[in-house]
Every structure is written in C-alpha cells, then in structure tokens.
C-alpha cells in the first residue's frame, strides 16, 4: 500500500543521516582523542583531510561503477564498508591504523552520492521529484546535528569516551545498508 518512491525517499534520507552523523562524530571528541593518543594538531588535520579526500575521490568512479555493475551493487557494499570502518576506527591501535580506517570510511561514504541519486531519480515520479529530493537532502542537516549531539552526549554526558560514538554509529549504518 505504500508507494515505492516513499520507501526510497525514507531509506535514502536515513542513508544521508547516518553518513553525515558518522562524519561529524569525530569533531566533538577530537581533543579527547588527541590527548589520549598524543596526536598533534597536524595529525588531527590529516584524519579529516584524508577522510574527505577519499570521499571526494570515489564519487565519480562510483557513479561509473554504478552504471556498469548496478547501483545497489555499488551502494550496499559502500554503506557496509563505512559502517564497519567506523567501528574499526575504535579498534585501531596506531595513528596510521586510525587514519587508514577513516580513509576507508571516506571510501565507503564516497560511493553513496551518485548511485543514490540515480536510484532516487528512477524511483520518484517526475511530479514529486523536487519534494522527494528535498526530503532526501534534508538528511544531511539532520545527520550533522545528530552526529554532533550524539557524539557529545555519548562521550561526555554519559562518560563513554571518544570510542562509544563510533561504535554506536556503526550499528544504524549497517542497518541502512540492509534496508537499501
């Protein structure tokens, strides 16, 4: 009874929410991570920079792969990858391993953009495409807010430290992959 395009919009907004929440959970806990790991400001900058470089670098190739292999065939493994590497970030013992985990998280997130918009454009009827896309895009703002609030709350208010937000965000991320 529910139109398919409503389901697609719901799943894709959830994808943007978990993706943007994942990328913002690091910001509130950077000082704690820096202190615990003895990282320099340059190393903290590298973590964010390499994450975003890998994210940006994968967007065009993932669009090409999505067109050749199938959009869901690229999208689902990418979401699973960024969910698993979000959790893996916590387990990394060295700066290099942590950096690699965040780079791989960026790779996983980088495959979302092109295939997701191709699928949503196919699913949403032309007359509802503007509103459907607007709803999907609002996931970015909701995710940013959620990530900052959740990370601060889990790490500081609940005393879970910098690791807890990463573990917590990994779970809904993998769940979204299964929904897709």
């Amino acid at each position: 009874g529910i139109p398919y395009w409503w389901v697609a919009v719901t799943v894709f907004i959830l994808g943007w929410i978990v993706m943007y929440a994942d990328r913002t959970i690091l910001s509130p806990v950077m000082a704690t991570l820096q202190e615990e790991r003895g990282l320099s400001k340059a190393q903290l900058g590298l973590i964010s920079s390499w994450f975003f470089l890998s994210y940006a670098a994968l967007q065009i190739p993932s669009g090409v792969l999505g067109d050749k292999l199938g959009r869901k065939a690229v999208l689902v493994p990418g979401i699973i990858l960024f969910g698993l590497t979000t959790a893996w970030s916590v387990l990394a013992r060295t700066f290099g391993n942590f950096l690699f985990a965040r780079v791989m998280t960026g790779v996983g997130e980088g495959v979302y953009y092109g295939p997701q918009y191709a699928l949503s454009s196919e699913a949403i009827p032309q007359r509802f495409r503007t509103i459907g896309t607007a709803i999907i895009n609002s996931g970015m703002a909701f995710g940013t807010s959620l990530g900052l609030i959740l990370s601060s709350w889990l790490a500081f208010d609940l005393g879970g430290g910098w690791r807890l937000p990463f573990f917590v965000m990994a779970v809904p991320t993998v769940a979204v992959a299964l929904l897709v």
Side-chain angles (χ1 to χ4, degrees):
I2 298 173
Y4 175 72
W5 75 271
W6 288 12
V7 174
V9 166
T10 301
V11 170
F12 293 140
I13 190 177
L14 290 174
W16 284 112
I17 289 170
V18 296
M19 187 180 341
Y20 271 73
D22 170 81
R23 71 178 56 176
T24 57
I25 58 174
L26 180 61
S27 295
V29 298
M30 280 184 123
T32 306
L33 177 65
Q34 179 183 23
E35 184 179 316
E36 182 181 307
R37 296 283 176 102
L39 303 177
S40 68
K41 291 185 188 304
Q43 287 173 310
L44 290 176
L46 282 173
I47 292 166
S48 294
S49 297
W50 279 98
F51 165 84
F52 282 108
L53 283 171
S54 63
Y55 169 75
L58 263 287
Q59 288 187 12
I60 293 172
S62 70
V64 172
L65 280 174
D67 288 341
K68 290 183 186 276
L69 303 175
R71 290 161 180 113
K72 286 183 186 177
V74 173
L75 191 59
V76 172
I79 300 169
I80 291 171
L81 177 65
F82 87 75
L84 294 177
T85 54
T86 295
W88 180 24
S89 300
V90 175
L91 304 174
R93 296 279 181 226
T94 66
F95 168 74
N97 287 340
F98 186 84
L99 180 63
F100 183 72
R102 295 309 290 166
V103 166
M104 294 309 296
T105 302
V107 167
E109 290 187 18
V111 304
Y112 193 76
Y113 197 92
Q116 181 271 296
Y117 279 110
L119 286 168
S120 65
S121 293
E122 292 169 355
I124 302 170
Q126 180 68 36
R127 67 185 184 143
F128 297 114
R129 196 158 298 148
T130 303
I131 186 67
T133 302
I135 292 168
I136 291 168
N137 285 347
S138 69
M140 297 174 201
F142 287 122
T144 299
S145 300
L146 175 67
L148 294 171
I149 292 167
L150 186 68
S151 182
S152 298
W153 181 66
L154 292 171
F156 304 116
D157 292 346
L158 295 184
W162 71 266
R163 291 173 177 84
L164 187 57
F166 286 84
F167 274 133
V168 168
M169 278 311 305
V171 174
T173 301
V174 174
V176 167
L178 299 175
L179 287 174
V180 172

